[in-house]
Amino acid sequence: QVTGPYQAIHIGSLYLSAVAVGAGGGWLTSHVPFPWIFAGAGLLPLGIVAASTFVHEERSPEPRPRSAGPFWAFIRTKQFLALSLTIVLWNFYPFLGTVQFYYQSNVLRLNPLWIGSLMTVGSVAGLAGSAVFWNFCRGKDAAAWVLRGPLVMAAVSLSYLFYRGPVSVTLVEAFFGFSTVFFRLALLDLIARTCPA
């Protein structure tokens, strides 16, 4: 199965880019006027459109006939519904970012550069989680990792009780980033393996 390594590369690349975004965003908010930052963020989608003009896919000379039957059959299975519910519950922490930012800036009095650096720390830890998953995913049962995930993530969530100062905040963000990526990759790998060919 190659789904695990593919997912690890995908998520690892995402977090690698987030490493630069965290520290860079913190630096920008400290040194550049907000209208300029918003303008730069607005121009990024145009860069994506420009980059897409360089992508050319070769068409297959004999396209395979495709049927939606297996797809509709699969989404009616208990397995699909259970995995979908797991994804919703796994990602359900509304307003965490807003509350976290308020607590970091107004209660802990962290400066914008430090807050941006926390994203970088979490992203580096997430990148490490992706690399560790890459080494563990081959030949392992993804379902076993998914079963352990909620227990570990419950403990990770409780670590926010120690969100008290610069050092503890950094450690919690690293712990959260590593664990979240590792177990999310296990979940994505399990989903990919359960999809019909």
Side-chain angles (χ1 to χ4, degrees), residues 17 71 82 88 92 110 117 137 140 152-153 156 158-159 164 180:
S17 63
F71 171 75
V88 170
F92 186 75
L110 301 177
S117 298
C137 68
K140 301 289 183 179
V152 174
M153 291 310 295
V156 171
L158 289 174
S159 70
R164 303 287 182 179
T180 300

Side-chain angles (χ1 to χ4, degrees), residues 176-192:
F176 191 81
F178 179 91
S179 305
T180 300
V181 170
F182 184 89
F183 288 106
R184 180 175 288 152
L185 281 170
L187 179 60
L188 292 174
D189 188 30
L190 179 62
I191 292 168

Side-chain angles (χ1 to χ4, degrees), residues 1-184:
Q1 290 282 354
V2 295
T3 54
Y6 283 166
Q7 290 287 3
I9 291 171
H10 169 229
I11 298 297
S13 301
L14 176 69
Y15 275 81
L16 184 61
S17 63
V19 168
V21 169
W27 183 87
L28 281 173
T29 55
S30 301
H31 297 85
V32 178
F34 285 136
W36 291 17
I37 296 172
F38 293 138
L43 291 174
L44 287 176
L46 297 178
I48 295 171
V49 172
S52 68
T53 61
F54 296 102
V55 177
H56 300 288
E57 293 188 44
E58 294 183 8
R59 293 186 179 272
S60 175
E62 297 179 6
R64 293 185 303 169
R66 297 189 179 195
S67 170
F71 171 75
W72 293 114
F74 176 63
I75 65 170
R76 287 194 295 266
T77 62
K78 289 182 180 178
Q79 192 173 30
F80 174 80
L81 295 174
L83 288 171
S84 298
L85 180 61
T86 302
I87 292 172
V88 170
L89 294 176
W90 188 269
N91 294 295
F92 186 75
Y93 34 85
F95 312 116
L96 174 64
T98 304
V99 172
Q100 200 173 31
F101 180 74
Y102 174 84
Y103 188 77
Q104 291 167 345
S105 57
N106 292 353
V107 177
L108 298 179
R109 303 291 182 187
L110 301 177
N111 63 50
L113 188 57
W114 187 277
I115 293 172
S117 298
L118 288 176
M119 182 180 175
T120 299
V121 168
S123 299
V124 169
L127 193 57
S130 174
V132 170
F133 181 80
W134 170 280
N135 291 324
F136 277 100
C137 68
R138 296 173 190 170
K140 301 289 183 179
D141 184 9
W145 292 114
V146 171
L147 289 174
R148 294 183 191 113
L151 297 174
V152 174
M153 291 310 295
V156 171
S157 296
L158 289 174
S159 70
Y160 276 105
L161 293 172
F162 304 101
Y163 215 76
R164 303 287 182 179
V167 175
S168 63
V169 164
T170 304
L171 292 174
V172 169
E173 290 294 333
F175 188 35
F176 191 81
F178 179 91
S179 305
T180 300
V181 170
F182 184 89
F183 288 106
R184 180 175 288 152

